[in-house]
Amino acid sequence: MFQVPDLAAVNVMDSADPLRALRHEFSLPEGIVYLDGNSLGPASHSVLADLESAARKEWAEGLIRSWNGAGWFTLPLTLGDCIGRLVGAAPGQTAVCDTTSINIYKALHAAMVLRPGRPVIVAEGDSFPTDLYVAEGVVSTHNGASLRLEGVDAPTIEELIDDQVAAVLVNHVNYRTGALRDMTALTRRAHEAGALTVWDLCHSAGALPVELDKAEADLAVGCTYKYLNGGPGAPAFIYVAQRHHAQAQQPLSGWWGHARPFAFEQSFSGAEGIAKFQCGTQPILSLRALKAALDIWDGVDMELVRQKSIALTDLFIGLVEARCSAFGLTLESPREGHRRGSQVAFAHQNAYEIMQALIFCGVIGDFRAPSTLRFGFSPLYIGFADVWHAVEVLEEVLRTGLWKEARFAHRTMVT
Ligand SMILES: *Cc1c(COP(=O)(O)O)cnc(C)c1O
Protein backbone atom coordinates (compact mmCIF):
# COMPACT_ATOMS: atom_id res chain seq x y z
CA MET A 1 0.00 0.00 0.00
CA PHE A 2 1.20 3.49 -0.82
CA GLN A 3 1.72 5.56 2.33
CA VAL A 4 0.87 9.16 1.49
CA PRO A 5 3.88 11.21 2.62
CA ASP A 6 3.55 14.76 3.90
CA LEU A 7 5.46 17.67 2.43
CA ALA A 8 8.18 17.38 5.07
CA ALA A 9 8.83 13.76 4.07
CA VAL A 10 8.92 14.81 0.40
CA ASN A 11 11.49 17.50 1.18
CA VAL A 12 13.63 14.88 2.90
CA MET A 13 13.53 12.82 -0.34
CA ASP A 14 14.89 15.86 -2.18
CA SER A 15 17.70 16.47 0.27
CA ALA A 16 18.75 12.81 0.02
CA ASP A 17 18.71 12.89 -3.81
CA PRO A 18 22.22 12.37 -5.25
CA LEU A 19 21.20 13.95 -8.60
CA ARG A 20 19.75 17.06 -7.02
CA ALA A 21 22.57 19.45 -7.97
CA LEU A 22 22.02 18.76 -11.68
CA ARG A 23 18.85 20.84 -11.77
CA HIS A 24 21.00 23.98 -11.47
CA GLU A 25 22.38 23.18 -14.91
CA PHE A 26 19.00 23.92 -16.46
CA SER A 27 17.40 27.21 -17.32
CA LEU A 28 13.80 26.62 -16.24
CA PRO A 29 11.38 29.51 -15.73
CA GLU A 30 10.48 30.39 -12.13
CA GLY A 31 7.18 29.04 -10.92
CA ILE A 32 6.89 26.32 -13.57
CA VAL A 33 6.85 22.58 -12.89
CA TYR A 34 8.03 21.13 -16.19
CA LEU A 35 6.64 17.65 -16.73
CA ASP A 36 7.05 17.60 -20.49
CA GLY A 37 10.76 16.93 -20.93
CA ASN A 38 9.68 13.70 -22.62
CA SER A 39 8.43 15.84 -25.49
CA LEU A 40 10.90 18.76 -25.46
CA GLY A 41 13.73 18.88 -22.93
CA PRO A 42 14.57 22.29 -21.41
CA ALA A 43 17.51 24.55 -22.22
CA SER A 44 20.56 24.47 -20.00
CA HIS A 45 22.92 27.34 -19.22
CA SER A 46 25.81 25.66 -21.01
CA VAL A 47 23.74 24.96 -24.13
CA LEU A 48 22.73 28.61 -24.37
CA ALA A 49 26.33 29.75 -23.92
CA ASP A 50 27.64 27.20 -26.41
CA LEU A 51 25.05 28.13 -29.02
CA GLU A 52 26.15 31.73 -28.74
CA SER A 53 29.84 30.92 -29.12
CA ALA A 54 29.17 28.42 -31.92
CA ALA A 55 27.34 31.15 -33.81
CA ARG A 56 29.74 34.01 -33.03
CA LYS A 57 33.14 32.31 -32.98
CA GLU A 58 32.74 29.24 -35.15
CA TRP A 59 30.33 30.58 -37.73
CA ALA A 60 30.74 34.38 -37.82
CA GLU A 61 34.52 34.40 -37.33
CA GLY A 62 35.61 30.93 -38.38
CA LEU A 63 33.39 30.80 -41.44
CA ILE A 64 34.02 27.79 -43.66
CA ARG A 65 37.27 27.01 -41.81
CA SER A 66 35.16 25.67 -38.93
CA TRP A 67 34.22 22.51 -40.83
CA ASN A 68 37.75 21.40 -39.98
CA GLY A 69 38.83 23.81 -37.26
CA ALA A 70 35.79 23.41 -35.00
CA GLY A 71 35.26 19.75 -35.84
CA TRP A 72 31.87 20.38 -37.46
CA PHE A 73 32.24 17.66 -40.07
CA THR A 74 32.79 14.88 -37.55
CA LEU A 75 30.11 15.98 -35.05
CA PRO A 76 27.64 13.27 -36.16
CA LEU A 77 30.11 10.55 -35.22
CA THR A 78 31.68 12.11 -32.13
CA LEU A 79 28.25 12.92 -30.68
CA GLY A 80 27.08 9.48 -31.76
CA ASP A 81 29.68 7.94 -29.49
CA CYS A 82 28.55 10.21 -26.61
CA ILE A 83 25.01 8.92 -27.06
CA GLY A 84 26.36 5.40 -27.46
CA ARG A 85 27.65 5.59 -23.89
CA LEU A 86 24.11 6.36 -22.68
CA VAL A 87 22.46 3.54 -24.60
CA GLY A 88 24.97 0.77 -24.08
CA ALA A 89 26.64 0.96 -27.50
CA ALA A 90 30.40 0.58 -27.89
CA PRO A 91 32.04 3.31 -30.02
CA GLY A 92 31.67 3.35 -33.78
CA GLN A 93 28.07 2.13 -33.96
CA THR A 94 26.02 5.30 -33.42
CA ALA A 95 25.66 8.43 -35.57
CA VAL A 96 23.70 11.59 -34.86
CA CYS A 97 21.95 12.72 -38.03
CA ASP A 98 18.63 13.52 -39.66
CA THR A 99 15.36 12.89 -37.82
CA THR A 100 13.98 9.85 -36.06
CA SER A 101 11.46 9.40 -38.87
CA ILE A 102 14.22 9.42 -41.51
CA ASN A 103 16.39 7.10 -39.45
CA ILE A 104 13.51 4.63 -39.09
CA TYR A 105 13.31 4.60 -42.87
CA LYS A 106 17.03 3.88 -43.20
CA ALA A 107 16.97 1.24 -40.46
CA LEU A 108 13.96 -0.63 -41.83
CA HIS A 109 15.36 -0.57 -45.34
CA ALA A 110 18.69 -1.88 -44.04
CA ALA A 111 16.91 -4.70 -42.20
CA MET A 112 14.95 -5.67 -45.34
CA VAL A 113 18.18 -5.84 -47.36
CA LEU A 114 19.91 -7.86 -44.63
CA ARG A 115 17.05 -10.38 -44.65
CA PRO A 116 16.24 -10.98 -48.34
CA GLY A 117 13.23 -13.13 -49.11
CA ARG A 118 11.43 -12.02 -45.97
CA PRO A 119 8.69 -9.56 -46.95
CA VAL A 120 7.20 -8.66 -43.55
CA ILE A 121 7.79 -5.84 -41.07
CA VAL A 122 6.23 -6.28 -37.64
CA ALA A 123 5.29 -3.23 -35.56
CA GLU A 124 3.00 -2.19 -32.72
CA GLY A 125 -0.52 -0.98 -33.53
CA ASP A 126 -0.19 1.58 -30.74
CA SER A 127 3.25 2.71 -31.82
CA PHE A 128 4.05 6.38 -32.15
CA PRO A 129 2.34 7.05 -35.51
CA THR A 130 5.38 8.25 -37.46
CA ASP A 131 6.98 4.81 -36.97
CA LEU A 132 3.96 3.22 -38.66
CA TYR A 133 3.73 5.83 -41.38
CA VAL A 134 7.39 5.33 -42.25
CA ALA A 135 7.01 1.55 -42.14
CA GLU A 136 4.14 1.92 -44.62
CA GLY A 137 6.47 3.95 -46.81
CA VAL A 138 9.17 1.27 -46.70
CA VAL A 139 6.64 -1.46 -47.48
CA SER A 140 5.36 0.56 -50.46
CA THR A 141 8.84 0.56 -52.02
CA HIS A 142 9.51 -3.19 -51.62
CA ASN A 143 7.53 -5.44 -53.95
CA GLY A 144 5.25 -7.82 -52.08
CA ALA A 145 6.17 -6.46 -48.66
CA SER A 146 3.60 -6.03 -45.91
CA LEU A 147 3.16 -4.81 -42.38
CA ARG A 148 1.86 -6.87 -39.44
CA LEU A 149 0.62 -5.00 -36.39
CA GLU A 150 0.39 -5.99 -32.77
CA GLY A 151 -3.15 -5.39 -31.54
CA VAL A 152 -4.51 -5.77 -35.10
CA ASP A 153 -3.11 -8.98 -36.58
CA ALA A 154 -2.47 -10.66 -33.20
CA PRO A 155 -2.69 -9.58 -29.57
CA THR A 156 1.05 -9.75 -28.87
CA ILE A 157 4.06 -8.86 -30.96
CA GLU A 158 5.74 -12.21 -30.22
CA GLU A 159 2.94 -14.07 -32.04
CA LEU A 160 3.60 -12.10 -35.21
CA ILE A 161 7.25 -13.07 -35.55
CA ASP A 162 7.93 -15.96 -37.94
CA ASP A 163 10.20 -16.90 -40.85
CA GLN A 164 8.56 -14.32 -43.12
CA VAL A 165 9.63 -11.42 -40.93
CA ALA A 166 12.66 -9.29 -41.78
CA ALA A 167 12.32 -6.60 -39.11
CA VAL A 168 10.57 -6.06 -35.82
CA LEU A 169 10.16 -2.32 -35.26
CA VAL A 170 9.44 -1.78 -31.61
CA ASN A 171 9.34 1.03 -29.07
CA HIS A 172 11.41 0.45 -25.96
CA VAL A 173 8.96 2.68 -24.04
CA ASN A 174 5.46 3.34 -25.33
CA TYR A 175 5.01 7.07 -25.98
CA ARG A 176 1.54 7.19 -24.46
CA THR A 177 1.41 4.72 -21.57
CA GLY A 178 5.12 4.53 -20.75
CA ALA A 179 5.03 0.70 -20.85
CA LEU A 180 8.60 -0.65 -21.06
CA ARG A 181 9.53 -3.63 -23.25
CA ASP A 182 12.08 -6.26 -22.30
CA MET A 183 14.73 -5.56 -24.94
CA THR A 184 16.77 -8.71 -24.33
CA ALA A 185 13.81 -11.10 -24.42
CA LEU A 186 12.15 -9.63 -27.49
CA THR A 187 15.44 -9.40 -29.38
CA ARG A 188 16.11 -13.07 -28.61
CA ARG A 189 12.62 -14.01 -29.79
CA ALA A 190 13.18 -12.14 -33.07
CA HIS A 191 16.58 -13.74 -33.59
CA GLU A 192 15.18 -17.24 -33.00
CA ALA A 193 12.90 -16.60 -35.98
CA GLY A 194 15.77 -15.16 -38.03
CA ALA A 195 14.41 -11.59 -37.86
CA LEU A 196 16.18 -8.36 -36.93
CA THR A 197 15.10 -5.78 -34.37
CA VAL A 198 14.84 -2.02 -34.84
CA TRP A 199 14.44 -0.39 -31.42
CA ASP A 200 12.91 3.06 -31.12
CA LEU A 201 14.55 4.64 -28.06
CA CYS A 202 12.79 8.03 -28.21
CA HIS A 203 11.36 7.59 -24.72
CA SER A 204 14.20 5.65 -23.15
CA ALA A 205 17.45 7.37 -24.23
CA GLY A 206 18.33 9.56 -21.25
CA ALA A 207 15.40 8.23 -19.24
CA LEU A 208 16.73 4.84 -18.16
CA PRO A 209 19.70 2.51 -18.70
CA VAL A 210 19.65 0.97 -22.18
CA GLU A 211 21.95 -1.93 -23.13
CA LEU A 212 21.88 -2.18 -26.92
CA ASP A 213 25.07 -4.24 -27.28
CA LYS A 214 24.32 -6.50 -24.35
CA ALA A 215 20.79 -7.18 -25.60
CA GLU A 216 22.25 -7.94 -29.06
CA ALA A 217 19.96 -5.38 -30.65
CA ASP A 218 20.47 -5.02 -34.39
CA LEU A 219 19.45 -1.46 -35.14
CA ALA A 220 18.05 1.41 -33.12
CA VAL A 221 16.96 5.01 -33.51
CA GLY A 222 16.00 7.77 -31.11
CA CYS A 223 15.42 11.44 -30.44
CA THR A 224 17.81 13.89 -28.83
CA TYR A 225 15.33 16.68 -28.09
CA LYS A 226 13.39 14.74 -25.44
CA TYR A 227 15.25 13.40 -22.38
CA LEU A 228 18.63 14.35 -23.89
CA ASN A 229 17.66 18.06 -23.95
CA GLY A 230 19.29 18.85 -27.31
CA GLY A 231 16.77 21.57 -28.22
CA PRO A 232 13.79 21.85 -30.60
CA GLY A 233 14.41 19.82 -33.74
CA ALA A 234 17.83 18.58 -32.59
CA PRO A 235 18.98 15.76 -34.88
CA ALA A 236 18.21 12.14 -34.07
CA PHE A 237 20.53 9.17 -33.75
CA ILE A 238 20.86 5.80 -35.43
CA TYR A 239 22.65 2.72 -34.13
CA VAL A 240 23.70 -0.23 -36.25
CA ALA A 241 25.43 -3.15 -34.54
CA GLN A 242 28.98 -3.65 -35.74
CA ARG A 243 28.30 -7.16 -37.05
CA HIS A 244 25.93 -5.70 -39.67
CA HIS A 245 28.18 -2.91 -40.93
CA ALA A 246 29.69 -4.74 -43.88
CA GLN A 247 26.37 -5.90 -45.34
CA ALA A 248 23.93 -3.19 -44.26
CA GLN A 249 22.73 -0.76 -46.95
CA GLN A 250 20.83 2.40 -46.37
CA PRO A 251 18.67 3.85 -49.13
CA LEU A 252 19.54 7.56 -48.71
CA SER A 253 23.03 7.24 -50.13
CA GLY A 254 24.10 10.85 -49.95
CA TRP A 255 27.61 12.25 -50.04
CA TRP A 256 28.12 12.31 -46.27
CA GLY A 257 27.82 8.54 -46.32
CA HIS A 258 30.41 8.19 -49.08
CA ALA A 259 33.80 6.64 -48.35
CA ARG A 260 35.51 9.73 -49.87
CA PRO A 261 33.04 12.63 -49.88
CA PHE A 262 35.62 15.18 -50.99
CA ALA A 263 36.91 13.08 -53.85
CA PHE A 264 33.63 14.03 -55.59
CA GLU A 265 33.44 10.70 -57.39
CA GLN A 266 30.69 9.99 -59.86
CA SER A 267 29.13 7.01 -58.13
CA PHE A 268 28.38 6.03 -54.59
CA SER A 269 30.75 3.96 -52.56
CA GLY A 270 29.65 3.66 -48.95
CA ALA A 271 31.94 4.60 -46.07
CA GLU A 272 32.98 1.94 -43.62
CA GLY A 273 31.08 1.53 -40.41
CA ILE A 274 28.31 3.74 -39.12
CA ALA A 275 29.51 6.71 -41.24
CA LYS A 276 27.65 5.13 -44.16
CA PHE A 277 24.36 5.87 -42.38
CA GLN A 278 24.76 9.62 -42.83
CA CYS A 279 23.15 11.28 -45.81
CA GLY A 280 23.85 14.98 -46.31
CA THR A 281 24.80 18.24 -44.56
CA GLN A 282 23.57 18.41 -41.00
CA PRO A 283 22.16 21.32 -38.92
CA ILE A 284 25.45 22.25 -37.27
CA LEU A 285 24.09 24.77 -34.79
CA SER A 286 21.67 22.15 -33.53
CA LEU A 287 24.50 19.64 -33.26
CA ARG A 288 26.55 22.19 -31.30
CA ALA A 289 23.65 22.72 -28.88
CA LEU A 290 23.36 18.96 -28.51
CA LYS A 291 27.08 18.68 -27.78
CA ALA A 292 26.71 20.96 -24.76
CA ALA A 293 23.54 19.15 -23.68
CA LEU A 294 25.34 15.79 -23.79
CA ASP A 295 28.26 17.11 -21.72
CA ILE A 296 25.85 17.37 -18.78
CA TRP A 297 25.55 13.57 -18.86
CA ASP A 298 29.27 13.04 -18.27
CA GLY A 299 29.62 11.05 -15.09
CA VAL A 300 25.85 10.70 -14.56
CA ASP A 301 25.10 7.21 -13.29
CA MET A 302 22.13 5.84 -15.26
CA GLU A 303 21.30 3.46 -12.41
CA LEU A 304 20.75 6.47 -10.14
CA VAL A 305 18.67 8.10 -12.87
CA ARG A 306 16.53 4.98 -13.01
CA GLN A 307 16.08 4.72 -9.24
CA LYS A 308 15.03 8.34 -9.01
CA SER A 309 12.74 8.05 -12.03
CA ILE A 310 10.88 5.14 -10.44
CA ALA A 311 10.65 6.98 -7.10
CA LEU A 312 9.30 10.15 -8.79
CA THR A 313 6.70 8.30 -10.84
CA ASP A 314 5.68 6.08 -7.90
CA LEU A 315 5.19 9.20 -5.79
CA PHE A 316 3.16 10.89 -8.53
CA ILE A 317 0.88 7.89 -9.05
CA GLY A 318 0.44 7.43 -5.28
CA LEU A 319 -0.39 11.08 -4.62
CA VAL A 320 -2.77 11.38 -7.59
CA GLU A 321 -4.64 8.26 -6.56
CA ALA A 322 -4.77 9.35 -2.90
CA ARG A 323 -5.88 12.91 -3.57
CA CYS A 324 -7.74 12.93 -6.88
CA SER A 325 -9.64 9.66 -6.74
CA ALA A 326 -13.04 11.37 -6.78
CA PHE A 327 -12.50 12.98 -10.18
CA GLY A 328 -12.55 10.12 -12.67
CA LEU A 329 -8.86 9.67 -13.49
CA THR A 330 -7.70 6.19 -14.58
CA LEU A 331 -4.06 5.15 -14.56
CA GLU A 332 -2.97 4.11 -18.07
CA SER A 333 0.67 3.38 -17.19
CA PRO A 334 1.93 0.11 -15.72
CA ARG A 335 1.66 0.24 -11.95
CA GLU A 336 4.93 -1.61 -11.29
CA GLY A 337 7.85 0.78 -11.56
CA HIS A 338 10.14 -1.70 -13.33
CA ARG A 339 7.61 -2.02 -16.19
CA ARG A 340 7.41 1.75 -16.83
CA GLY A 341 9.60 4.35 -18.48
CA SER A 342 9.93 7.78 -16.87
CA GLN A 343 6.42 9.01 -17.61
CA VAL A 344 2.92 8.56 -16.23
CA ALA A 345 -0.37 8.65 -18.13
CA PHE A 346 -3.85 9.07 -16.72
CA ALA A 347 -7.02 8.88 -18.79
CA HIS A 348 -9.89 11.31 -18.31
CA GLN A 349 -12.67 12.16 -20.74
CA ASN A 350 -11.83 15.87 -20.42
CA ALA A 351 -8.08 15.35 -20.53
CA TYR A 352 -7.55 18.14 -23.07
CA GLU A 353 -9.28 20.85 -21.01
CA ILE A 354 -7.69 19.65 -17.76
CA MET A 355 -4.22 19.81 -19.28
CA GLN A 356 -4.84 23.32 -20.60
CA ALA A 357 -5.92 24.46 -17.13
CA LEU A 358 -2.88 22.78 -15.57
CA ILE A 359 -0.56 24.55 -18.01
CA PHE A 360 -2.32 27.84 -17.19
CA CYS A 361 -1.48 27.15 -13.52
CA GLY A 362 2.19 26.46 -14.29
CA VAL A 363 2.23 22.68 -14.37
CA ILE A 364 3.24 21.70 -17.90
CA GLY A 365 2.49 18.21 -19.14
CA ASP A 366 0.80 17.30 -22.37
CA PHE A 367 -2.35 15.83 -23.87
CA ARG A 368 -2.38 12.84 -26.18
CA ALA A 369 -5.55 12.14 -28.12
CA PRO A 370 -8.09 10.91 -27.40
CA SER A 371 -8.06 11.13 -23.60
CA THR A 372 -4.58 10.99 -22.07
CA LEU A 373 -2.95 13.36 -19.60
CA ARG A 374 0.76 12.63 -19.95
CA PHE A 375 3.42 13.65 -17.46
CA GLY A 376 7.16 13.12 -17.99
CA PHE A 377 9.62 13.08 -15.10
CA SER A 378 13.19 13.80 -16.02
CA PRO A 379 15.34 12.89 -13.00
CA LEU A 380 17.97 15.48 -13.98
CA TYR A 381 15.83 18.47 -13.05
CA ILE A 382 12.56 17.28 -11.48
CA GLY A 383 12.50 16.97 -7.71
CA PHE A 384 10.11 15.30 -5.31
CA ALA A 385 8.67 18.63 -4.12
CA ASP A 386 7.83 19.38 -7.77
CA VAL A 387 5.76 16.20 -7.85
CA TRP A 388 4.00 17.22 -4.66
CA HIS A 389 3.24 20.68 -6.04
CA ALA A 390 2.02 19.30 -9.39
CA VAL A 391 -0.47 17.02 -7.65
CA GLU A 392 -1.69 19.90 -5.46
CA VAL A 393 -2.40 21.94 -8.58
CA LEU A 394 -4.05 18.99 -10.33
CA GLU A 395 -6.30 18.40 -7.32
CA GLU A 396 -7.29 22.05 -7.27
CA VAL A 397 -8.00 22.19 -11.01
CA LEU A 398 -10.26 19.15 -10.66
CA ARG A 399 -11.95 20.14 -7.37
CA THR A 400 -12.73 23.72 -8.39
CA GLY A 401 -13.70 22.71 -11.92
CA LEU A 402 -11.39 25.43 -13.30
CA TRP A 403 -10.88 23.33 -16.43
CA LYS A 404 -14.58 23.83 -17.36
CA GLU A 405 -13.95 27.44 -18.34
CA ALA A 406 -14.53 27.87 -22.07
CA ARG A 407 -11.02 29.16 -22.78
CA PHE A 408 -9.49 25.79 -21.88
CA ALA A 409 -11.53 24.01 -24.58
CA HIS A 410 -9.87 25.95 -27.40
CA ARG A 411 -7.83 23.44 -29.44
CA THR A 412 -4.30 24.40 -30.44
CA MET A 413 -2.41 22.88 -33.36
CA VAL A 414 0.28 21.24 -31.23
CA THR A 415 -0.85 19.37 -28.14
C1 LIG B 1 9.08 11.78 -30.59
C2 LIG B 1 9.03 10.51 -31.36
C3 LIG B 1 9.35 10.48 -32.71
C4 LIG B 1 9.65 11.77 -33.44
O1 LIG B 1 10.11 11.61 -34.71
P1 LIG B 1 10.65 12.89 -35.51
O2 LIG B 1 11.11 12.36 -36.77
O3 LIG B 1 11.70 13.51 -34.66
O4 LIG B 1 9.53 13.88 -35.65
C5 LIG B 1 9.38 9.25 -33.36
N1 LIG B 1 9.09 8.11 -32.70
C6 LIG B 1 8.75 8.13 -31.38
C7 LIG B 1 8.45 6.85 -30.68
C8 LIG B 1 8.70 9.33 -30.69
O5 LIG B 1 8.35 9.34 -29.42
Side-chain angles (χ1 to χ4, degrees):
M1 247 327 265
F2 177 77
Q3 298 286 317
V4 184
D6 59 12
L7 184 55
V10 168
N11 286 330
V12 169
M13 294 168 88
D14 272 328
S15 37
D17 168 16
L19 300 175
R20 194 182 185 204
L22 286 166
R23 72 180 295 153
H24 301 301
E25 301 278 346
F26 293 92
S27 174
L28 284 156
E30 276 298 308
I32 294 288
V33 177
Y34 193 58
L35 303 180
D36 213 0
N38 53 329
S39 202
L40 176 65
S44 54
H45 305 299
S46 56
V47 164
L48 296 174
D50 241 45
L51 261 179
E52 164 115 28
S53 72
R56 287 190 189 282
K57 292 208 183 85
E58 298 176 14
W59 177 24
E61 286 173 33
L63 294 167
I64 194 133
R65 296 168 287 189
S66 289
W67 282 109
N68 292 311
W72 285 356
F73 191 69
T74 50
L75 277 172
L77 304 186
T78 52
L79 297 188
D81 283 344
C82 295
I83 290 177
R85 279 199 289 281
L86 297 174
V87 295
Q93 302 176 102
T94 313
V96 176
C97 54
D98 306 322
T99 66
T100 301
S101 302
I102 291 172
N103 287 337
I104 292 169
Y105 188 82
K106 296 186 228 171
L108 285 176
H109 178 97
M112 300 287 281
V113 173
L114 286 165
R115 290 292 177 270
R118 290 172 171 248
V120 175
I121 294 173
V122 165
E124 302 149 290
D126 66 348
S127 175
F128 188 83
T130 203
D131 299 48
L132 299 180
Y133 304 160
V134 171
E136 284 178 25
V138 173
V139 160
S140 75
T141 60
H142 286 78
N143 260 341
S146 64
L147 197 54
R148 284 184 196 160
L149 295 183
E150 181 188 44
V152 176
D153 299 307
T156 69
I157 201 160
E158 288 81 1
E159 292 166 78
L160 294 173
I161 304 172
D162 61 23
D163 65 4
Q164 292 301 293
V165 175
V168 181
L169 171 63
V170 63
N171 288 273
H172 195 202
V173 171
N174 180 279
Y175 79 103
R176 187 196 305 271
T177 65
L180 171 66
R181 295 264 185 195
D182 182 335
M183 184 180 283
T184 304
L186 186 55
T187 300
R188 191 180 306 133
R189 174 72 188 81
H191 288 177
E192 279 164 9
L196 300 174
T197 49
V198 179
W199 287 93
D200 186 325
L201 306 180
C202 279
H203 292 279
S204 55
L208 48 112
V210 180
E211 297 282 3
L212 286 173
D213 286 347
K214 210 158 145 192
E216 295 182 25
D218 300 287
L219 301 110
V221 299
C223 282
T224 65
Y225 54 74
K226 293 173 177 165
Y227 290 97
L228 297 175
N229 312 310
F237 64 90
I238 181 164
Y239 159 93
V240 182
Q242 177 106 44
R243 63 184 176 281
H244 297 309
H245 286 183
Q247 253 74 54
Q249 302 290 335
Q250 67 108 339
L252 307 178
S253 45
W255 71 307
W256 278 45
H258 198 283
R260 295 163 297 278
F262 286 89
F264 297 104
E265 292 169 14
Q266 193 168 50
S267 69
F268 186 76
S269 158
E272 274 188 27
I274 194 66
K276 177 167 57 184
F277 279 78
Q278 302 178 89
C279 178
T281 306
Q282 292 301 302
I284 296 299
L285 292 177
S286 284
L287 283 169
R288 289 290 288 101
L290 176 62
K291 181 176 190 297
L294 291 174
D295 284 344
I296 292 176
W297 291 91
D298 274 355
V300 172
D301 179 346
M302 288 309 290
E303 291 302 331
L304 290 179
V305 168
R306 180 65 174 147
Q307 280 168 26
K308 181 175 173 187
S309 156
I310 291 178
L312 288 168
T313 49
D314 273 347
L315 178 67
F316 184 74
I317 293 170
L319 287 174
V320 170
E321 292 193 333
R323 300 183 56 180
C324 307
S325 61
F327 307 112
L329 291 170
T330 314
L331 180 67
E332 288 183 297
S333 298
R335 193 169 288 281
E336 303 98 309
H338 71 274
R339 293 187 47 229
R340 275 199 307 270
S342 205
Q343 68 201 59
V344 175
F346 279 98
H348 190 288
Q349 55 183 356
N350 300 104
Y352 182 83
E353 292 83 353
I354 293 168
M355 184 53 74
Q356 293 307 304
L358 273 176
I359 294 171
F360 173 78
C361 297
V363 175
I364 302 181
D366 60 23
F367 162 77
R368 285 293 172 262
S371 58
T372 297
L373 291 148
R374 191 178 71 155
F375 303 91
F377 298 84
S378 171
L380 262 48
Y381 52 84
I382 296 299
F384 295 95
D386 295 325
V387 172
W388 174 275
H389 180 69
V391 178
E392 269 202 339
V393 173
L394 176 61
E395 194 266 345
E396 194 179 312
V397 162
L398 293 166
R399 178 173 41 78
T400 61
L402 176 70
W403 61 267
K404 293 176 185 159
E405 291 184 14
R407 61 188 162 144
F408 297 127
H410 171 72
R411 296 265 165 158
T412 53
M413 198 143 81
V414 176
T415 64

